[in-house]
Amino acid sequence: MVNVLTGFSVVILIIALGFAVGRSKVLGPNAVYTLNMFVFWIALPATLIKFMSETDIAQLFGVNLAVVALSTLGAGLLGFVGYRYIAHRSTPDSLIAMLACSYCNGSNLGIPLAAHLLKDPTLTLPVILFQVGFYGPMTVMLLDMQTGTKARAHFIRDIILTIIRNPLILGAGVGIGISLLQHNTQWRVPGIVAEPVGIIADATVGWALIGLGIPLAEVRVLQRGRSPRRSVWAASFVKAVVHPLIALAIGYFLFDASTQLLLTIAVVAALPTGQNVFTYAQRFNINKVLARDTAVVSTALSLPVMAALVLFLS
């Protein structure tokens, strides 16, 4: 229990440091963009290469991936139905609400937390692959069909290019290739390559959490008259609490998962709403405030929920 509380305290302290940096603006006005670009394009791929090359690939694409897919679709359907038929909002608005309730921050927050708390950042790879390779593109396709914002041929091309150019997919692919080579041959990554990759990977947790804390000092959420507060709280509750409960139920009753696997899938499902949801909302100019505010509020809710899950399932 002490180790769990210490681990989460470390995470909260680093995020708080980022918050203080954001308030003081000591790193300048574009600090959050620079940090996040470093984490996304350099540090996270290096982390995936380092750990994927040492991982049994078969373990990543079994029950874990199945639970990710089913629980994400379940939480998303709950969000869509609630927003469409209870809040009586449009279909495009409801699609953004669906993502807000189910699309995890599996990269910028998920990988650092998995590395620090579960000691294996590759545990978030199934959710990244599912979201980047299927869930996100399919939702964007539905939004495009509803809004008619671009030609179909260009849209499909852009979706394919987005997937194959994603640095996390590329990093995972390189890591998988190295893992297969090392498990099937005598070849090993030369130290002159492995060491710099390891040094960069070791920087991921700190920089990612500071990069998460900085915008918390700059964004005002739940503003009266501008934010759909009840919808934000509802979506945040579904994302941080209901989504992991769905994942636990699926893992336990459908797959008879071990306690360790249940812990993994529950913590991953409890990750807050990803920033990509706001990106999609901006792209189509739909429900932007809900997407932005849910990302912040669900982050505040998810940390104590994940702490409780780790304490209960460890």
Side-chain angles (χ1 to χ4, degrees), residues 83 87 89 97 100-101 228-237 287 290 294:
Y83 210 68
R89 299 297 295 272
C101 291
R229 293 182 176 183
R230 286 187 295 181
S231 296
V232 170
W233 282 111
S236 299
F237 180 79
N287 228 355
L290 174 75
T294 303

Side-chain angles (χ1 to χ4, degrees), residues 3 8 48 54 78 90 142 159 205 212 226 244 256 268 278 282 287 310 313:
N3 290 336
F8 274 94
L48 289 174
E54 303 165 355
L78 186 63
S90 69
L142 292 174
I159 288 292
V205 175
L212 177 67
R226 299 188 62 185
D256 193 26
V268 170
F278 181 64
Q282 274 192 316
N287 228 355
V310 174
L313 293 171

Side-chain angles (χ1 to χ4, degrees), residues 59-70 125-127 129-130 265:
Q59 295 180 0
L60 295 176
F61 302 101
V63 173
N64 195 341
L65 181 58
V67 174
V68 161
L70 293 174
L125 186 59
V127 75
L129 293 176
F130 176 72
I265 61 181

Side-chain angles (χ1 to χ4, degrees), residues 3-289:
N3 290 336
V4 171
L5 294 177
T6 300
F8 274 94
S9 297
V10 169
V11 169
I12 292 171
L13 284 172
I14 297 175
I15 294 174
L17 174 61
F19 183 88
V21 169
R23 274 293 178 89
S24 66
K25 300 189 183 300
V26 67
L27 296 182
N30 297 318
V32 66
Y33 176 81
T34 303
L35 281 177
N36 284 335
M37 289 301 98
F38 166 75
V39 170
F40 184 70
W41 287 99
I42 300 175
L44 290 178
T47 301
L48 289 174
I49 291 171
K50 175 184 175 181
F51 284 90
M52 289 293 294
S53 63
E54 303 165 355
T55 299
D56 182 1
I57 305 302
Q59 295 180 0
L60 295 176
F61 302 101
V63 173
N64 195 341
L65 181 58
V67 174
V68 161
L70 293 174
S71 64
T72 299
L73 293 173
L77 179 63
L78 186 63
F80 179 86
V81 170
Y83 210 68
R84 181 72 179 88
Y85 298 105
I86 297 177
H88 303 291
R89 299 297 295 272
S90 69
T91 297
D93 280 347
S94 301
L95 287 170
I96 295 299
M98 177 186 77
L99 291 178
C101 291
S102 57
Y103 197 105
C104 297
N105 188 342
S107 53
N108 288 49
L109 184 59
I111 292 176
L113 284 179
H116 182 67
L117 300 173
L118 303 176
K119 309 305 179 186
D120 186 357
T122 65
L123 294 175
T124 63
L125 186 59
V127 75
I128 292 172
L129 293 176
F130 176 72
Q131 291 181 166
V132 173
F134 175 77
Y135 194 48
M138 287 302 298
T139 305
V140 171
M141 183 178 295
L142 292 174
L143 285 167
D144 181 67
M145 292 170 63
Q146 289 290 321
T147 59
T149 55
K150 63 165 58 181
R152 193 74 58 234
H154 291 171
F155 168 76
I156 295 174
R157 181 199 62 191
D158 289 349
I159 288 292
I160 294 173
L161 289 177
T162 297
I163 294 172
I164 63 177
R165 289 175 178 173
N166 188 297
L168 304 183
I169 300 297
L170 294 175
V174 172
I176 289 172
I178 294 173
S179 176
L180 292 174
L181 277 174
Q182 294 189 148
H183 278 84
N184 293 286
T185 69
Q186 298 298 315
W187 182 82
R188 293 293 180 269
V189 179
I192 195 171
V193 175
E195 188 169 345
V197 170
I199 291 173
I200 295 171
D202 290 341
T204 300
V205 175
W207 284 121
L209 294 179
I210 289 175
L212 177 67
I214 292 175
L216 296 180
E218 301 173 347
V219 176
R220 295 181 62 187
V221 299
L222 301 175
Q223 291 181 281
R224 185 182 298 276
R226 299 188 62 185
S227 175
R229 293 182 176 183
R230 286 187 295 181
S231 296
V232 170
W233 282 111
S236 299
F237 180 79
V238 172
K239 183 68 209 71
V241 179
V242 178
H243 191 175
L245 291 178
I246 293 174
L248 279 174
I250 292 172
Y252 183 80
F253 291 108
L254 291 186
F255 296 101
D256 193 26
S258 65
T259 302
Q260 182 61 38
L261 182 54
L262 287 174
L263 172 61
T264 297
I265 61 181
V267 168
V268 170
L271 288 167
T273 303
Q275 285 299 116
N276 276 2
V277 179
F278 181 64
T279 301
Y280 297 146
Q282 274 192 316
R283 175 177 176 178
F284 291 95
N285 196 29
I286 297 170
N287 228 355
K288 293 184 290 186
V289 178

